[in-house]
Amino acid sequence: MKRILVLHTGGTIAMHEDVDGDVEQGAQNPLNDAHLDLPEVELTTENIFNLPSEHITPTHMLALYNRLKDAEQDFDGVVITHGTDTLEETSFFLDGTLSFEIPIVMTGAMRSSNELGSDGLYNFQSALRVAIDEQSKNRGVMVVLNDEIHAARFVTKTHATNVATFASPISGAMGMVNKRKILFFYDLPDKRTYPIKAVDKRIPVMKAYAGMDGHILSLLADSGIDGIVIEALGAGNLGEDAALGVLKLLDAGIPVVIVSRSFKGIAEPVYDYLGGGVQLEKAGAIFASAVNGQKARLKLLIGLENQLNTNDLNNYLHEF
């Protein structure tokens, strides 16, 4: 008998469609009354939040972390249900702060409980199947939807409404859920995790664009932010004016993290001219490998809250 902790946080998987066809929250989570064909599982269920995922903040992520940090003593696995819009961020935060042998699996739904083709109950059962599988140990936080298993560090939401929205553009799915068994395709590279006590750092994310005004970045240098993530062009490049704004941020001692705004690929310094990645890195900007802007923001937050020095912060953000 496997003991699984289930934490419900809200989201579409916990919602229903009203008479007008609009999706809304209810007082009761429909999964609490779900019938699951998993006799070998003992569930301990907690409705820790009931929030649309757009309302989830790092403070809520920290509450989840605090609930889970000792969970390995009492449970054989964890399943968390969550809205899909910020699911990748919560999963990434937990993956960067918890170091467990037991599986931690996150899931959600693109269609609410009473919509035609509702996927919530099926995804929930799939997540539980992954959580009780012996192969799932030591794989970090996983995201399970639509018969696919993704690593939290690589997964992202790719479609606004499609049930096949989650994908891992760089690595591909880590595994799949079949009728009779769970299959895994690869193991993850080792990474560092850091415990966390607070999430107080102010870190905005900005997307670069043609003709980006460096004055906006200059204003942020005096705004009291603790760091900034810029989704730069291509492999990590900016226009001349934006690059001058980055220099002012760096002169003010504000960490600047560069990722690519491209859907696939990684940011790396290639071009050596004003605004090119080589000169940005020489000036002190940090290139974050293999993560998008929202994940780089959380990684920077975790690093700053742990007071990593410049060299350690650079290495940490470079890590896959």
Side-chain angles (χ1 to χ4, degrees):
M1 182 71 69
K2 293 278 185 143
R3 299 164 300 162
I4 303 297
L5 173 64
V6 175
L7 299 180
H8 293 310
T9 70
T12 300
I13 196 169
M15 296 182 186
H16 65 276
E17 189 178 69
D18 66 16
V19 294
D20 297 319
D22 300 322
V23 177
E24 61 182 22
Q25 292 176 270
Q28 299 297 322
N29 188 325
L31 293 179
N32 288 338
D33 301 318
H35 174 71
L36 300 168
D37 186 22
L38 292 170
E40 70 274 27
V41 180
E42 177 186 328
L43 299 183
T44 298
T45 301
E46 299 176 15
N47 294 285
I48 190 166
F49 312 126
N50 186 19
L51 296 170
S53 68
E54 299 82 8
H55 295 188
I56 296 287
T57 69
T59 300
H60 298 102
M61 299 175 196
L62 181 62
L64 281 170
Y65 165 83
N66 285 327
R67 175 62 186 92
L68 292 176
K69 62 184 180 181
D70 298 318
E72 197 167 33
Q73 300 174 13
D74 302 310
F75 298 98
D76 301 302
V78 177
V79 170
I80 303 169
T81 66
H82 196 286
T84 59
D85 283 354
T86 59
L87 188 151
E88 68 183 90
E89 287 164 84
T90 299
S91 65
F92 188 79
F93 178 90
L94 295 175
D95 191 57
T97 54
L98 295 170
S99 181
F100 281 171
E101 177 182 321
I102 65 170
I104 301 176
V105 184
M106 293 193 64
T107 192
M110 295 299 291
R111 295 173 184 159
S112 60
S113 60
N114 61 336
E115 287 186 71
L116 185 65
S118 175
D119 54 332
L121 183 57
Y122 182 82
N123 286 337
F124 183 45
Q125 178 157 302
S126 295
L128 288 167
R129 287 182 59 201
V130 173
I132 64 175
D133 195 284
E134 285 296 312
Q135 301 175 89
S136 299
K137 291 181 178 179
N138 294 307
R139 292 184 179 275
V141 178
M142 292 169 283
V143 173
V144 173
L145 288 95
N146 203 43
D147 285 333
E148 293 184 338
I149 306 167
H150 294 271
R153 68 180 85 172
F154 296 130
V155 73
T156 191
K157 186 173 182 179
T158 67
H159 195 287
T161 56
N162 196 303
V163 294
T165 181
F166 282 94
S168 298
I170 290 176
S171 65
M174 185 165 63
M176 63 188 298
V177 180
N178 286 344
K179 288 288 185 183
R180 296 185 178 182
K181 60 183 177 180
I182 308 300
L183 295 176
F184 285 98
F185 305 138
Y186 60 79
D187 296 326
L188 294 168
D190 292 336
K191 66 174 180 59
R192 283 170 283 189
T193 58
Y194 291 97
I196 195 163
K197 295 181 179 179
V199 287
D200 300 326
K201 304 302 183 186
R202 297 173 58 208
I203 304 169
V205 179
M206 293 192 69
K207 184 184 288 288
Y209 51 87
M212 184 177 186
D213 185 357
H215 181 63
I216 298 172
L217 298 174
S218 300
L219 292 174
L220 286 172
D222 299 319
S223 66
I225 62 172
D226 299 290
I228 185 171
V229 175
I230 300 177
E231 296 182 355
L233 308 172
N237 310 300
L238 295 171
E240 291 181 323
D241 201 47
L244 294 174
V246 167
L247 295 179
K248 291 185 178 179
L249 287 165
L250 293 169
D251 287 343
I254 296 170
V256 177
V257 176
I258 301 293
V259 300
S260 174
R261 76 173 194 180
S262 301
F263 181 65
K264 291 186 177 181
I266 65 173
E268 58 181 350
V270 176
Y271 295 100
D272 191 0
Y273 47 73
L274 180 60
V278 171
Q279 291 197 17
L280 291 174
E281 185 181 52
K282 286 179 179 178
I286 301 170
F287 277 69
S289 299
V291 289
N292 55 25
Q294 56 267 33
K295 289 182 176 180
R297 174 181 176 271
L298 291 170
K299 203 165 188 179
L300 179 59
L301 182 149
I302 292 167
L304 292 176
E305 293 289 5
N306 278 274
Q307 300 180 333
L308 299 187
N309 61 37
T310 301
N311 186 59
D312 287 342
L313 189 64
N314 202 319
N315 291 335
Y316 176 53
L317 282 154
H318 268 85
E319 229 176 33
F320 275 78

